[in-house]
Amino acid sequence: MADEPALLEELHRLRARVPQLTGALAASVDGLVLAHDTPGVEPEGLAALTAAALGVAIRTTDATGRGELRELLLRGHLGYVATYAAGAHAVLTLLAQDRVNVGRLHLEGRRAGARIGELVDAAALAPARPAVRPAPRTRTARTAASPAAGPTTTTTPRGTTPRTTTES
Amino acid sequence: MANTETALKEALASIEGATGAALVDYTSGMALGTIGGSKTFDLNVAAAGNTDVIRAKIRTMEHLGLKAEIEDILITLTDQYHLIRLLTGRGGNGLFLYLVLDAKRANLAMARHQLKRIEESLEV
């Protein structure tokens, strides 16, 4: 749905800026590959697993009143898997070696996630609509349709519910 | 013995010309604590970037076969000094203190001496 060459360029740029990255993948929140640069890793499988992990992560942040999911960091013996929110419809998943500078990984991952989000949202929505945040009504509909929906799907009551409970 | 927060506060308050300080883990590049800085000077960016500086220096020293340890690193800008001091002992391994100084107001020798003292009393 989005401009794939532009997404790929973003992924390549990211891998050039963080040399310890071993792979980068832009995927839709429901697990479809949008663009990938993941040598040695099967992108379709990674996108599907990312969507599954997101489903749990979003429910966890929601259940604990942490708001919208921004990122998900996994660390294995040999490295990291980091997933960053990228607008309303996409996520960015990065694979990195264990010796990566996590501070830099976060900085670059967040920036790239925001840019990819702009690209994907701009392609997915009507051209007149601002790319960052679609109307809450759309999100409610998406949540109802798909339990593993994106990083911003659970935010319809955003701010109001937790805030009133803590204040009262 | 001071904890991270008091050590950073002390660095900013007692070192003349200090405008920001951070305690950073250079195994991950993430800051354990920051103080000062500004909207245009993000100490978390500085933490990640200076982690690369330290890693590069450590690698270079390995290539040169140097066995010594880095005590501190001074970076001189036209209007700022950046002081990096690596922590030693007491579980401070892999951490460094990062101090930003206004070059016009700072006394470099004194700042270095005070940062050493703060580092010695810091308990992480």
Side-chain angles (χ1 to χ4, degrees), chain A residues 20 73 80 98-104 106-107 111, chain B residues 27-30 42 44-45 47-49 51-52 55:
Chain A
Q20 293 84 13
L73 183 68
Y80 296 86
D98 194 50
R99 61 191 179 87
V100 75
N101 180 336
V102 187
R104 181 170 300 288
H106 281 328
L107 294 172
R111 274 182 212 156
Chain B
T27 61
S28 74
M30 292 197 282
D42 185 340
N44 290 307
V45 175
T51 289
D52 290 338
R55 287 184 181 187

mmCIF file of all heavy atoms in Angstrom, chain A residues 20 73 80 98-104 106-107 111, chain B residues 27-30 42 44-45 47-49 51-52 55:
data_model
loop_
_atom_site.group_PDB
_atom_site.id
_atom_site.type_symbol
_atom_site.label_atom_id
_atom_site.label_comp_id
_atom_site.label_asym_id
_atom_site.label_seq_id
_atom_site.Cartn_x
_atom_site.Cartn_y
_atom_site.Cartn_z
ATOM 1 N N GLN A 20 25.704 -2.167 13.390
ATOM 2 C CA GLN A 20 25.445 -3.437 14.081
ATOM 3 C C GLN A 20 24.066 -4.001 13.778
ATOM 4 O O GLN A 20 23.700 -5.046 14.300
ATOM 5 C CB GLN A 20 25.592 -3.273 15.601
ATOM 6 C CG GLN A 20 26.994 -2.991 16.082
ATOM 7 C CD GLN A 20 27.328 -1.516 16.005
ATOM 8 O OE1 GLN A 20 26.447 -0.676 15.820
ATOM 9 N NE2 GLN A 20 28.605 -1.182 16.135
ATOM 10 N N LEU A 73 11.248 -4.344 23.029
ATOM 11 C CA LEU A 73 12.649 -4.747 22.904
ATOM 12 C C LEU A 73 12.826 -6.155 23.451
ATOM 13 O O LEU A 73 12.461 -6.425 24.591
ATOM 14 C CB LEU A 73 13.544 -3.766 23.676
ATOM 15 C CG LEU A 73 15.047 -4.019 23.572
ATOM 16 C CD1 LEU A 73 15.546 -3.743 22.165
ATOM 17 C CD2 LEU A 73 15.812 -3.164 24.568
ATOM 18 N N TYR A 80 19.577 -8.435 19.708
ATOM 19 C CA TYR A 80 18.301 -7.796 20.037
ATOM 20 C C TYR A 80 17.313 -7.870 18.872
ATOM 21 O O TYR A 80 17.713 -7.896 17.708
ATOM 22 C CB TYR A 80 18.514 -6.309 20.335
ATOM 23 C CG TYR A 80 19.355 -6.020 21.539
ATOM 24 C CD1 TYR A 80 20.737 -5.961 21.451
ATOM 25 C CD2 TYR A 80 18.763 -5.772 22.783
ATOM 26 C CE1 TYR A 80 21.521 -5.676 22.562
ATOM 27 C CE2 TYR A 80 19.538 -5.480 23.893
ATOM 28 C CZ TYR A 80 20.912 -5.429 23.780
ATOM 29 O OH TYR A 80 21.677 -5.143 24.874
ATOM 30 N N ASP A 98 24.433 -8.278 19.485
ATOM 31 C CA ASP A 98 24.423 -8.038 20.925
ATOM 32 C C ASP A 98 25.258 -6.820 21.315
ATOM 33 O O ASP A 98 24.983 -6.160 22.301
ATOM 34 C CB ASP A 98 24.933 -9.278 21.666
ATOM 35 C CG ASP A 98 24.628 -9.206 23.146
ATOM 36 O OD1 ASP A 98 23.461 -8.941 23.489
ATOM 37 O OD2 ASP A 98 25.550 -9.377 23.956
ATOM 38 N N ARG A 99 26.296 -6.511 20.498
ATOM 39 C CA ARG A 99 27.171 -5.401 20.878
ATOM 40 C C ARG A 99 26.631 -4.050 20.393
ATOM 41 O O ARG A 99 27.326 -3.033 20.467
ATOM 42 C CB ARG A 99 28.584 -5.635 20.344
ATOM 43 C CG ARG A 99 28.654 -5.718 18.845
ATOM 44 C CD ARG A 99 30.017 -6.206 18.371
ATOM 45 N NE ARG A 99 30.048 -6.287 16.931
ATOM 46 C CZ ARG A 99 30.370 -5.286 16.136
ATOM 47 N NH1 ARG A 99 30.712 -4.129 16.649
ATOM 48 N NH2 ARG A 99 30.359 -5.427 14.832
ATOM 49 N N VAL A 100 25.416 -4.014 19.919
ATOM 50 C CA VAL A 100 24.866 -2.745 19.440
ATOM 51 C C VAL A 100 24.761 -1.746 20.594
ATOM 52 O O VAL A 100 24.633 -2.119 21.764
ATOM 53 C CB VAL A 100 23.475 -2.963 18.793
ATOM 54 C CG1 VAL A 100 22.404 -3.207 19.840
ATOM 55 C CG2 VAL A 100 23.087 -1.791 17.909
ATOM 56 N N ASN A 101 24.858 -0.478 20.243
ATOM 57 C CA ASN A 101 24.632 0.615 21.187
ATOM 58 C C ASN A 101 23.110 0.806 21.268
ATOM 59 O O ASN A 101 22.494 1.367 20.372
ATOM 60 C CB ASN A 101 25.341 1.840 20.621
ATOM 61 C CG ASN A 101 25.202 3.070 21.476
ATOM 62 O OD1 ASN A 101 24.261 3.197 22.245
ATOM 63 N ND2 ASN A 101 26.135 3.975 21.339
ATOM 64 N N VAL A 102 22.501 0.302 22.346
ATOM 65 C CA VAL A 102 21.029 0.306 22.424
ATOM 66 C C VAL A 102 20.472 1.726 22.445
ATOM 67 O O VAL A 102 19.405 1.998 21.885
ATOM 68 C CB VAL A 102 20.532 -0.463 23.664
ATOM 69 C CG1 VAL A 102 19.020 -0.598 23.631
ATOM 70 C CG2 VAL A 102 21.145 -1.842 23.719
ATOM 71 N N GLY A 103 21.232 2.623 23.081
ATOM 72 C CA GLY A 103 20.816 4.028 23.075
ATOM 73 C C GLY A 103 20.658 4.533 21.651
ATOM 74 O O GLY A 103 19.661 5.171 21.301
ATOM 75 N N ARG A 104 21.660 4.229 20.820
ATOM 76 C CA ARG A 104 21.600 4.670 19.426
ATOM 77 C C ARG A 104 20.516 3.907 18.658
ATOM 78 O O ARG A 104 19.806 4.495 17.840
ATOM 79 C CB ARG A 104 22.968 4.481 18.752
ATOM 80 C CG ARG A 104 22.987 4.941 17.313
ATOM 81 C CD ARG A 104 24.370 4.989 16.720
ATOM 82 N NE ARG A 104 25.280 5.889 17.400
ATOM 83 C CZ ARG A 104 25.206 7.210 17.332
ATOM 84 N NH1 ARG A 104 24.263 7.790 16.617
ATOM 85 N NH2 ARG A 104 26.081 7.964 17.964
ATOM 86 N N HIS A 106 17.724 2.890 19.782
ATOM 87 C CA HIS A 106 16.453 3.535 20.096
ATOM 88 C C HIS A 106 16.303 4.856 19.350
ATOM 89 O O HIS A 106 15.262 5.136 18.766
ATOM 90 C CB HIS A 106 16.349 3.786 21.602
ATOM 91 C CG HIS A 106 15.964 2.569 22.387
ATOM 92 N ND1 HIS A 106 15.150 1.588 21.892
ATOM 93 C CD2 HIS A 106 16.286 2.176 23.644
ATOM 94 C CE1 HIS A 106 14.980 0.652 22.793
ATOM 95 N NE2 HIS A 106 15.676 0.976 23.875
ATOM 96 N N LEU A 107 17.348 5.674 19.379
ATOM 97 C CA LEU A 107 17.259 6.981 18.725
ATOM 98 C C LEU A 107 16.951 6.819 17.240
ATOM 99 O O LEU A 107 16.041 7.456 16.703
ATOM 100 C CB LEU A 107 18.575 7.755 18.890
ATOM 101 C CG LEU A 107 18.944 8.185 20.303
ATOM 102 C CD1 LEU A 107 20.354 8.754 20.328
ATOM 103 C CD2 LEU A 107 17.961 9.220 20.809
ATOM 104 N N ARG A 111 13.232 7.455 15.217
ATOM 105 C CA ARG A 111 13.176 8.399 14.092
ATOM 106 C C ARG A 111 12.675 7.705 12.830
ATOM 107 O O ARG A 111 11.785 8.203 12.141
ATOM 108 C CB ARG A 111 14.571 8.966 13.818
ATOM 109 C CG ARG A 111 14.887 10.162 14.678
ATOM 110 C CD ARG A 111 16.259 10.689 14.314
ATOM 111 N NE ARG A 111 16.887 11.260 15.488
ATOM 112 C CZ ARG A 111 18.185 11.392 15.661
ATOM 113 N NH1 ARG A 111 19.016 10.972 14.727
ATOM 114 N NH2 ARG A 111 18.671 11.930 16.756
ATOM 115 N N THR B 27 27.937 -0.149 27.857
ATOM 116 C CA THR B 27 27.661 -1.444 27.235
ATOM 117 C C THR B 27 26.349 -1.380 26.449
ATOM 118 O O THR B 27 26.164 -2.113 25.493
ATOM 119 C CB THR B 27 27.582 -2.566 28.280
ATOM 120 O OG1 THR B 27 26.527 -2.271 29.187
ATOM 121 C CG2 THR B 27 28.864 -2.699 29.062
ATOM 122 N N SER B 28 25.465 -0.476 26.858
ATOM 123 C CA SER B 28 24.192 -0.356 26.138
ATOM 124 C C SER B 28 24.028 0.994 25.447
ATOM 125 O O SER B 28 23.206 1.126 24.544
ATOM 126 C CB SER B 28 23.019 -0.564 27.094
ATOM 127 O OG SER B 28 22.854 0.554 27.923
ATOM 128 N N GLY B 29 24.766 2.005 25.880
ATOM 129 C CA GLY B 29 24.600 3.340 25.302
ATOM 130 C C GLY B 29 23.460 4.123 25.920
ATOM 131 O O GLY B 29 23.116 5.198 25.452
ATOM 132 N N MET B 30 22.871 3.591 26.997
ATOM 133 C CA MET B 30 21.738 4.278 27.598
ATOM 134 C C MET B 30 22.136 4.978 28.894
ATOM 135 O O MET B 30 22.994 4.491 29.627
ATOM 136 C CB MET B 30 20.599 3.290 27.837
ATOM 137 C CG MET B 30 20.012 2.815 26.536
ATOM 138 S SD MET B 30 18.412 2.048 26.699
ATOM 139 C CE MET B 30 18.880 0.459 27.290
ATOM 140 N N ASP B 42 20.152 17.300 23.846
ATOM 141 C CA ASP B 42 19.543 16.107 24.430
ATOM 142 C C ASP B 42 20.645 15.208 24.984
ATOM 143 O O ASP B 42 21.459 14.673 24.241
ATOM 144 C CB ASP B 42 18.736 15.385 23.344
ATOM 145 C CG ASP B 42 17.960 14.190 23.890
ATOM 146 O OD1 ASP B 42 18.317 13.686 24.976
ATOM 147 O OD2 ASP B 42 17.005 13.761 23.224
ATOM 148 N N ASN B 44 20.426 12.296 26.192
ATOM 149 C CA ASN B 44 20.334 10.895 25.772
ATOM 150 C C ASN B 44 21.010 10.663 24.423
ATOM 151 O O ASN B 44 21.576 9.603 24.184
ATOM 152 C CB ASN B 44 18.867 10.458 25.714
ATOM 153 C CG ASN B 44 18.271 10.351 27.102
ATOM 154 O OD1 ASN B 44 18.820 9.669 27.968
ATOM 155 N ND2 ASN B 44 17.183 11.062 27.338
ATOM 156 N N VAL B 45 20.948 11.683 23.575
ATOM 157 C CA VAL B 45 21.685 11.609 22.307
ATOM 158 C C VAL B 45 23.188 11.629 22.597
ATOM 159 O O VAL B 45 23.961 10.853 22.035
ATOM 160 C CB VAL B 45 21.289 12.782 21.387
ATOM 161 C CG1 VAL B 45 22.136 12.785 20.127
ATOM 162 C CG2 VAL B 45 19.816 12.708 21.030
ATOM 163 N N ALA B 47 24.606 10.651 25.293
ATOM 164 C CA ALA B 47 24.983 9.385 25.928
ATOM 165 C C ALA B 47 25.274 8.324 24.874
ATOM 166 O O ALA B 47 26.301 7.641 24.926
ATOM 167 C CB ALA B 47 23.850 8.913 26.842
ATOM 168 N N ALA B 48 24.385 8.219 23.890
ATOM 169 C CA ALA B 48 24.573 7.215 22.835
ATOM 170 C C ALA B 48 25.817 7.535 22.006
ATOM 171 O O ALA B 48 26.620 6.649 21.695
ATOM 172 C CB ALA B 48 23.336 7.155 21.948
ATOM 173 N N GLY B 49 25.987 8.801 21.663
ATOM 174 C CA GLY B 49 27.118 9.191 20.813
ATOM 175 C C GLY B 49 28.449 9.010 21.510
ATOM 176 O O GLY B 49 29.417 8.508 20.927
ATOM 177 N N THR B 51 29.088 7.013 23.900
ATOM 178 C CA THR B 51 29.340 5.575 24.037
ATOM 179 C C THR B 51 30.196 5.091 22.861
ATOM 180 O O THR B 51 31.153 4.330 23.040
ATOM 181 C CB THR B 51 28.001 4.818 24.072
ATOM 182 O OG1 THR B 51 27.371 5.109 25.312
ATOM 183 C CG2 THR B 51 28.202 3.322 23.964
ATOM 184 N N ASP B 52 29.863 5.576 21.666
ATOM 185 C CA ASP B 52 30.659 5.205 20.493
ATOM 186 C C ASP B 52 32.089 5.733 20.602
ATOM 187 O O ASP B 52 33.035 5.087 20.155
ATOM 188 C CB ASP B 52 29.988 5.728 19.218
ATOM 189 C CG ASP B 52 28.699 4.984 18.885
ATOM 190 O OD1 ASP B 52 28.549 3.845 19.363
ATOM 191 O OD2 ASP B 52 27.860 5.532 18.160
ATOM 192 N N ARG B 55 33.879 3.385 23.051
ATOM 193 C CA ARG B 55 34.101 2.073 22.437
ATOM 194 C C ARG B 55 35.210 2.143 21.398
ATOM 195 O O ARG B 55 36.041 1.234 21.293
ATOM 196 C CB ARG B 55 32.811 1.581 21.780
ATOM 197 C CG ARG B 55 31.765 1.142 22.787
ATOM 198 C CD ARG B 55 30.585 0.580 22.038
ATOM 199 N NE ARG B 55 29.515 0.160 22.919
ATOM 200 C CZ ARG B 55 28.436 -0.479 22.501
ATOM 201 N NH1 ARG B 55 28.281 -0.756 21.219
ATOM 202 N NH2 ARG B 55 27.501 -0.839 23.347
#
